[in-house]
Every structure is written in structure tokens, then in C-alpha cells.
Amino acid sequence: MELQKINRDFSVCKVTDYSKVNLESEYCFIGKTDEENSLVCLTEDVPENITEREDGWRAFRITGVLDFSLIGILAKIASLLAKEKIGIFVVSTYNTDYVLVKKENEVKALKCLTREGYLFKE
């Protein structure tokens, strides 16, 4: 399986609303529930109307388009990283999954997954 490292810094945030979110940004993931408005975006694009934020995330994505019938791809990655005591934050899109790890764990995560047979492209 091939993964692609994204060489950008990400932030995970809560926002009051989405009025100040740059939806034209290269990476912008929003999630709305009855309890919160969440945003994952490039750190440089964090809007001013945040109520909470956590910076220092790095990301990689599973390359290609994943068929909805595929089972266990994300679970396997999560399990391998959990064994290394690396926490993750995951965002899924229609095409694929994005796995975020804290910046201080990025090299360890990449080494772990490479050792397990995953290929990384820049």
C-alpha cells in the first residue's frame, strides 16, 4: 500500500462557526454536530474565530481512491501506530483517508509503517 506524506503543518480546531474558514484552502476538513463545529486545516489558515486549537500535526494520506467495500485499511495503520504508542487523528474524505500524527511522532510513524511494508511517496 502506498502512502503520501504531506509536508505541511496542520491544526485541529473548534470554531464558533464557519464564516471565517477559508474553504478555498488546499486542505480544509470540517465537521459539524449538535455539540461542535470542528475544523482541520493548515496551521497558516487557522481562522480568528476559534474557541480551541491544537497545533503541531503532520499528515499522510492513503494514495488512490479507496473502494467503500475495502475493510481494515485504516484499522491496520491505527493498530501499527498504537503499538508504537503513537496517537492519531483521522479525517476521511469520499476518496481516501488522511492520518495525522503529532509532529514529534512523525519520523517514528513513518519508520514504523515503512518497516511494515508501506511505501511513502513525497
Side-chain angles (χ1 to χ4, degrees), residues 53-84:
R53 77 187 273 177
E54 178 148 345
D55 297 329
W57 293 91
R58 299 291 287 196
F60 60 88
R61 71 174 147 226
I62 300 169
T63 59
V65 177
L66 301 178
D67 188 277
F68 287 114
S69 66
L70 296 173
I71 299 170
I73 293 173
L74 190 55
K76 175 142 185 176
I77 291 171
S79 176
L80 291 169
L81 295 177
K83 286 180 186 174
E84 296 290 325

Side-chain angles (χ1 to χ4, degrees), residues 12-26:
V12 179
C13 312
K14 282 186 184 180
V15 294
T16 54
D17 59 58
Y18 297 112
S19 63
K20 301 197 187 265
V21 173
N22 179 5
L23 297 176
E24 300 302 317
S25 176
E26 187 175 11

Side-chain angles (χ1 to χ4, degrees), residues 16-115:
T16 54
D17 59 58
Y18 297 112
S19 63
K20 301 197 187 265
V21 173
N22 179 5
L23 297 176
E24 300 302 317
S25 176
E26 187 175 11
Y27 297 97
C28 177
F29 306 97
I30 59 174
K32 182 176 182 0
T33 71
D34 62 334
E35 295 181 338
E36 66 178 299
N37 297 319
S38 292
L39 168 69
V40 177
C41 64
L42 296 173
T43 300
E44 64 196 55
D45 291 334
V46 171
E48 61 188 46
N49 64 337
I50 57 160
T51 58
E52 292 181 52
R53 77 187 273 177
E54 178 148 345
D55 297 329
W57 293 91
R58 299 291 287 196
F60 60 88
R61 71 174 147 226
I62 300 169
T63 59
V65 177
L66 301 178
D67 188 277
F68 287 114
S69 66
L70 296 173
I71 299 170
I73 293 173
L74 190 55
K76 175 142 185 176
I77 291 171
S79 176
L80 291 169
L81 295 177
K83 286 180 186 174
E84 296 290 325
K85 305 219 181 313
I86 299 172
I88 63 172
F89 188 94
V90 176
V91 179
S92 295
T93 65
Y94 190 90
N95 285 345
T96 194
D97 297 313
Y98 291 75
V99 179
L100 288 83
V101 298
K102 290 300 279 188
K103 196 172 193 172
E104 60 267 19
N105 291 322
E106 181 182 28
V107 171
K108 186 177 176 183
L110 297 177
K111 283 181 181 178
C112 166
L113 294 171
T114 300
R115 185 176 60 243

